[in-house]
């Protein structure tokens, strides 16, 4: 039988740098209360959002992804020619093809990389990071650019108070390269297609609809065990974690997951307060801003956990660059 060789395997991959882009336009709770029946107090206490960012009409997912990706690339110290793979995680694509990833790569001067989009909704960044980690470890890519980018605003019914107060726009990116020691742990992931109708955009003519209470119950019960499985697989005890970065869905969900994980020494990301729920972009935006502020030391372990439509979920432990 023919043997298939994998020649250039490396012991692990690690995140070399993060970058993020948030659109300039800030929309406050009071701004929304001027057009729908809601108020600042309800949104802060039920969801935790104070303000969110909304893209300009002509600002695209590719625009935002290229901004975030360019920042991550510059911070990594690598050149465009060093990148062999570009993955864009998005569930709010304005066009089904070509892939956003190919356009982003072209914008950034990355010539001929493997390029594709991936849709695992709000878990998308963790899925894409797992794919990039595998590509780097098996020698399929020397370095990968992984981006979560969303323009949720174009799929929102701005008269529906149950969704328009939650979702927002933005992009976050990570450059992943080879490492002598693993800096990205094994992913714990899965999905429950039987609950696909809980969060959905039914067709190109429809808006986002979600069964908020059911998703809330699922997120506060089913997601923490996935996060703990990721710690177990990485051999990192929750008490060793320096940061916990759940998908920024709702501050009450974030706090419930953090409580159950019992990461007593960790900073818990609360970027939702100022960035809103940017779906697949929320984890890399939160991480990028944490690192920029110096909230977590370089080399420290952070737990990422994404969850959302699908109902897809994924978690992994990474080393902060
Ligand atoms: O990122 C993808 C994953 N998505 C999630 O994880 C979302 C999970 N779900 C949630 O975060 C929450 O369920 C929501 C934020 C969507 C809603 O919060 P809730 O605490 O579950 O509120 P609710 O739907 O149970 O509504 C409570 C009350 C209702 O009024 P009555 O029937 O009690 O009189 C709603 O009509 O609040 C009302 N309400 C609002 N009031 C003011 C619903 N939306 C609003 C609003 N402003 N925007």
């Amino acid at each position: 039988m023919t043997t298939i060789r994998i020649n250039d395997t490396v012991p692990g991959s690690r995140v070399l740098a993060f970058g993020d882009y948030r659109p300039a336009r800030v929309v406050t709770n009071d701004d929304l209360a001027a057009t729908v029946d809601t108020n600042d107090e309800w949104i802060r206490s039920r969801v935790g959002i104070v303000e969110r960012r909304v893209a300009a009409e002509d600002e695209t997912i590719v625009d935002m992804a290229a901004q975030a990706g360019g920042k991550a690339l510059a911070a990594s110290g690598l050149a465009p020619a060093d990148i062999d793979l570009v993955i864009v995680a998005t569930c709010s694509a304005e066009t089904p093809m070509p892939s956003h990833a190919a356009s982003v790569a072209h914008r950034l001067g990355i010539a001929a990389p493997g390029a594709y989009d991936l849709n695992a909704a709000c878990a998308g960044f963790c899925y894409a990071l797992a794919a990039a980690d595998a590509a780097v470890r098996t020698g399929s890519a020397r370095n990968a650019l992984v981006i979560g980018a969303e323009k949720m605003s174009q799929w929102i019914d701005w008269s529906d108070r149950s969704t328009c107060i939650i979702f927002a726009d933005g992009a976050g990116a990570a450059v992943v390269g080879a490492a002598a020691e693993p800096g990205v742990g094994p992913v714990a992931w899965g999905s429950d297609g039987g609950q696909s109708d809980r969060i959905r955009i039914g067709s190109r003519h429809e808006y986002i609809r979600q069964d908020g209470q059911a998703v809330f119950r699922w997120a506060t019960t089913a997601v923490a065990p996935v996060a703990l499985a990721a710690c177990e697989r990485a051999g990192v005890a929750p008490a060793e974690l320096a940061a916990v970065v759940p998908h920024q869905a709702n501050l009450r969900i974030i706090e419930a997951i953090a409580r159950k994980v019992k990461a007593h020494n960790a900073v818990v990301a609360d970027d939702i307060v100022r960035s809103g729920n940017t779906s697949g972009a929320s984890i890399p935006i939160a991480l990028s801003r944490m690192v920029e502020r110096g909230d977590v030391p370089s080399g420290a372990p952070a737990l990422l956990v994404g969850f959302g439509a699908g109902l897809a979920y994924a978690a992994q432990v990474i080393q902060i660059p």
Side-chain angles (χ1 to χ4, degrees):
M1 208 167 90
T2 308
T3 307
I4 294 175
R5 277 197 318 270
I6 299 180
N7 285 329
D8 302 323
T9 56
V10 295
S13 80
R14 67 186 177 96
V15 176
L16 305 177
F18 288 109
D20 67 274
Y21 173 79
R22 299 186 310 147
R25 185 173 158 219
V26 176
V27 175
T28 66
N29 294 340
D30 287 339
D31 291 336
L32 293 173
T35 53
V36 290
D37 180 16
T38 190
N39 58 77
D40 181 54
E41 202 281 325
W42 192 96
I43 300 172
R44 282 184 196 232
S45 61
R46 296 286 186 125
V47 195
I49 297 174
V50 170
E51 61 187 32
R52 75 282 292 140
R53 301 293 179 104
V54 175
E57 195 78 25
D58 61 352
E59 199 169 29
T60 64
I61 291 173
V62 169
D63 292 336
M64 294 188 281
Q67 288 278 351
K71 284 185 196 164
L73 193 55
S76 74
L78 296 182
D82 298 321
I83 304 292
D84 299 321
L85 173 64
V86 178
I87 309 173
V88 172
T90 189
C91 65
S92 54
E94 52 261 285
T95 52
M97 63 176 173
S99 74
H100 298 73
S103 304
V104 170
H106 180 69
R107 270 291 171 97
L108 295 176
I110 301 169
Y116 65 94
D117 294 352
L118 172 160
N119 182 351
C122 304
F125 180 78
C126 295
Y127 273 71
L129 185 57
D133 168 54
V136 169
R137 277 192 287 106
T138 55
S140 299
R142 290 164 303 152
N143 301 286
L145 178 60
V146 180
I147 306 172
E150 304 282 10
K151 190 172 179 181
M152 303 303 284
S153 59
Q154 65 190 332
W155 296 104
I156 287 171
D157 173 356
W158 289 95
S159 67
D160 174 6
R161 68 177 183 173
S162 73
T163 52
C164 77
I165 55 127
I166 297 172
F167 293 106
D169 303 332
V175 175
V176 179
E181 304 251 313
V184 175
V187 70
W189 57 10
S191 62
D192 179 1
Q195 298 199 68
S196 288
D197 58 350
R198 298 288 195 200
I199 314 174
R200 69 203 173 281
I201 300 171
S203 76
R204 73 182 68 186
H205 308 295
E206 291 174 52
Y207 297 112
I208 294 175
R209 300 285 173 214
Q210 73 168 345
D211 181 349
Q213 284 186 6
V215 178
F216 188 95
R217 273 195 303 277
W218 169 77
T220 51
T221 52
V223 174
V226 179
L228 288 168
C231 292
E232 173 85 33
R233 287 182 196 179
V236 175
E240 293 176 70
L241 293 168
V244 176
V245 187
H247 162 49
Q248 303 290 291
N250 180 321
L251 198 54
R252 290 188 293 148
I253 296 175
I254 293 166
E255 287 166 354
I257 292 171
R259 258 195 317 275
K260 290 188 175 181
V261 169
K262 296 192 171 73
H264 299 306
N265 303 310
V267 178
V268 178
D270 63 356
D271 194 55
I272 187 169
V273 176
R274 299 277 163 198
S275 299
N277 177 342
T278 56
S279 189
S282 83
I283 290 176
I285 293 176
L287 275 162
S288 176
R289 283 160 54 78
M290 265 182 156
V291 170
E292 193 172 86
R293 285 192 302 264
D295 290 353
V296 277
S298 173
L303 171 65
L304 322 188
V305 51
F307 53 90
L311 295 172
Y313 48 89
Q316 67 257 98
V317 176
I318 68 159
Q319 223 168 43
I320 293 291

